Amino acid sequence: MSLRPPGVTPAGRGRAALTVLAVLALLLGGYGLFRADAGLATRQVTVDGVPLTEVRAGGAGAGPRPGVVIAHGFAGSARLMRPLADTVARRGAVALLLDFAGHGGNPAGLPGAGSDDTASRVALAHDLAVAVAHLRGRPDVDPTRIVLVGHSMGAGAVTRYAAGHPDLAGTVAISLPDGGDLPDARPERLLLIVGGLEFPAFRDTAEATARRGVGRRVVVVPGVEHISVLFAGRTHREVAAWVGGVDGAAPRPAARLVPAGLLLLGSGLGFVPLAALLTGHRPPRPRRGLPVAPAPVVLAVATAATGLGVLIAPVLPTTRLPLAVGGYLTGFLLVTGVLLAAARHVPLRLFGTGPAAPAATGGSVPAGGRTPLRPVVAALLLTGYAVAAVAVPIHLGLTWALPVGARWWLLPVVAVGCLVFLAGAELVTQGRSWRYAAVGALAVPALGGAAVVGLAPGFVLLVVPLFVVLLGWQAAWAAVLRRAGAPRWAPAVVGAVLVAWPVATALPLS
């Protein structure tokens, strides 16, 4: 005799369990972000067009404190560097974060973004000078105890600035890309931090720069690469000791990162029951008359498409988009998507072995061929859910993720590129999830190889890890939509939002 309540299926119980887990993850993530701010006071101002964020310990004394200007790297933001600001603020310093031109909440474009040319350096120096002057003018900051901290591009900016301002108390360069143009012995009191898993050139640069001056120190943080070095406990302890101040609690570099991860997890888990609820969980119907090509043929065609994509993208008008790296990436996605869609309707028909299996494709199309209204409305609502699911956790716990300035019109342009690519992948794979994921994965080595041989901007190599995560994330969501019987175009639309939003809001404006 079954103890199952009438009308309750195993699938229904599973969706209920996922709903409970999603709510718990969202609640824990929200509470974690709330706790991360405990004991800290923040103030946001804009000075001469540069967004600044002050962070200080709320209960600290009123006497003059050390001041720390913290500068992010390429495609970073003040929010990405917030954990370091929290660490030094809890040790008694006043931290000041800034968004360089073209980054975060700064709508101004960065000239020559990604090229490290003279115009770019001048713009970075201007924004850094604004931040230093503002911090020096604060009544609770000791102007003789100001330290600069920078990561990657920001490390280059702070070391160049400090070389011309010997009155600064110290400098910290995390993942310094190049120190060859620094004058010998300047800046003094320079701490160079590099991740143990970074490209060897970063460690070579740090060691060579340290040998050219006195009062310099190199710290290699084991087990971390170019981004995770910012969240390493060793990095935070070294920076706090270099800045000085009072002893405080142990640094908590992941105090915002972990809650943001819980929000992402909760939104992903919640997508499963939400998709089933909105679509009515109709079983997917087969696509009749379209043959299914063998997997090796599909992957070979996808490899050729991505290869042509990296070759054609540099000559497309999209490279003139005012979004560093993003213009090339958008062109690549457009070309590759068009080629994949064309391959579905021409070459792959030659290798077809029969009609697609019902479970291989999503979509709920009745015999008359018209898409019901409910799945369309559901897909649009789920697209809005996807926007919140990707933007809110990233913005609250990792880096800037809201459109400003030109990003408002760049976002739909990038989304179209993502939409074409994902629609092409959906067509060429007939919605078979593992093939779909494999086609997306092929884009990764293609982009990386293009950057290595000079077809794509070198900074593409820094974007590739983010791209891997985004493609894997959207592939999982696409599989959920297919199982829920969403329209066949829904995985591409929802996936385009998941991929395009972080790309368009994080890459620098140029």
Side-chain angles (χ1 to χ4, degrees):
M1 179 177 178
S2 175
L3 299 178
R4 184 192 307 159
V8 177
T9 64
R13 289 204 306 271
R15 291 192 293 271
L18 286 176
T19 300
V20 172
L21 291 174
V23 171
L24 287 175
L26 292 173
L27 290 175
L28 288 173
Y31 177 74
L33 289 173
F34 172 77
R35 288 291 301 162
D37 286 324
L40 297 174
T42 61
R43 175 174 174 261
Q44 295 181 335
V45 296
T46 299
V47 180
D48 197 14
V50 182
L52 305 173
T53 302
E54 301 172 10
V55 183
R56 52 171 55 78
R65 316 182 210 178
V68 186
V69 175
I70 302 177
H72 60 79
F74 183 83
S77 69
R79 286 180 173 268
L80 182 65
M81 308 297 287
R82 178 63 192 268
L84 276 172
D86 292 348
T87 293
V88 298
R90 294 187 188 281
R91 299 292 183 97
V94 176
L96 186 68
L97 300 153
L98 76 152
D99 281 325
F100 281 122
H103 293 76
N106 193 331
L110 178 63
S115 62
D116 194 32
D117 59 11
T118 301
S120 175
R121 291 190 174 198
V122 168
L124 297 177
H126 166 269
D127 294 350
L128 197 55
V130 169
V132 172
H134 176 80
L135 190 60
R136 274 210 169 103
R138 301 301 302 162
D140 57 345
V141 173
D142 183 348
T144 67
R145 299 169 66 193
I146 291 182
V147 176
L148 305 185
V149 178
H151 172 243
S152 194
M153 177 187 75
V158 299
T159 51
R160 290 191 298 270
Y161 185 90
H165 296 80
D167 54 333
L168 292 168
T171 309
V172 180
I174 305 171
S175 304
L176 179 67
D178 183 18
D181 56 349
L182 294 174
D184 289 338
R186 287 188 293 164
E188 297 180 357
R189 198 167 183 271
L190 172 63
L191 173 64
L192 297 132
I193 299 176
V194 63
L197 300 181
E198 295 198 68
F199 293 126
F202 285 98
R203 184 167 182 172
D204 295 342
T205 294
E207 292 173 346
T209 303
R211 289 193 295 266
R212 294 174 50 221
V214 296
R216 297 180 176 182
R217 180 166 171 252
V218 176
V219 174
V220 179
V221 182
V224 293
E225 41 71 63
H226 194 70
I227 300 300
S228 55
V229 67
L230 296 174
F231 301 95
R234 174 76 181 278
T235 300
H236 284 240
R237 290 191 296 272
E238 294 287 350
V239 171
W242 204 256
V243 170
V246 299
D247 292 333
R252 296 185 297 146
R256 299 178 189 278
L257 190 63
V258 170
L262 287 172
L263 291 183
L264 284 170
L265 175 63
S267 65
L269 293 176
F271 185 72
V272 179
L274 183 62
L277 175 67
L278 292 178
T279 62
H281 196 63
R282 294 179 176 86
R285 294 176 179 266
R287 297 188 68 176
R288 304 185 185 279
L290 289 177
V292 178
V297 175
V298 172
L299 296 181
V301 169
T303 301
T306 55
L308 288 172
V310 298
L311 292 173
I312 298 173
V315 300
L316 294 179
T318 51
T319 56
R320 294 197 290 271
L321 290 174
L323 188 67
V325 180
Y328 177 88
L329 182 61
T330 300
F332 165 78
L333 293 174
L334 281 169
V335 172
T336 305
V338 169
L339 292 174
L340 289 174
R344 174 62 217 159
H345 291 286
V346 183
L348 290 188
R349 286 182 178 272
L350 302 176
F351 299 94
T353 59
T361 62
S364 50
V365 181
R370 296 180 60 189
T371 301
L373 180 61
R374 177 173 177 172
V376 174
V377 174
L380 295 177
L381 291 175
L382 291 171
T383 301
Y385 177 87
V387 171
V390 70
V392 173
I394 291 176
H395 190 73
L396 293 181
L398 183 58
T399 190
W400 187 274
L402 298 179
V404 295
R407 298 189 192 276
W408 281 109
W409 67 264
L410 285 168
L411 177 57
V413 173
V414 176
V416 168
C418 295
L419 176 63
V420 172
F421 174 78
L422 297 177
E426 189 77 19
L427 286 171
V428 82
T429 63
Q430 283 290 277
R432 293 172 181 251
S433 294
W434 77 266
R435 294 188 183 188
Y436 181 84
V439 170
L442 287 172
V444 175
L447 288 170
V452 170
V453 302
L455 288 172
F459 278 102
V460 165
L461 292 173
L462 299 181
V463 177
V464 163
L466 169 66
F467 200 55
V468 171
V469 173
L470 294 177
L471 287 177
W473 189 239
Q474 70 82 29
W477 284 47
V480 171
L481 286 169
R482 295 186 200 104
R483 288 180 61 86
R488 298 187 185 102
W489 47 264
V493 172
V494 174
V497 169
L498 290 173
V499 176
W501 194 281
V503 169
T505 57
L507 293 178
L509 295 172
S510 58

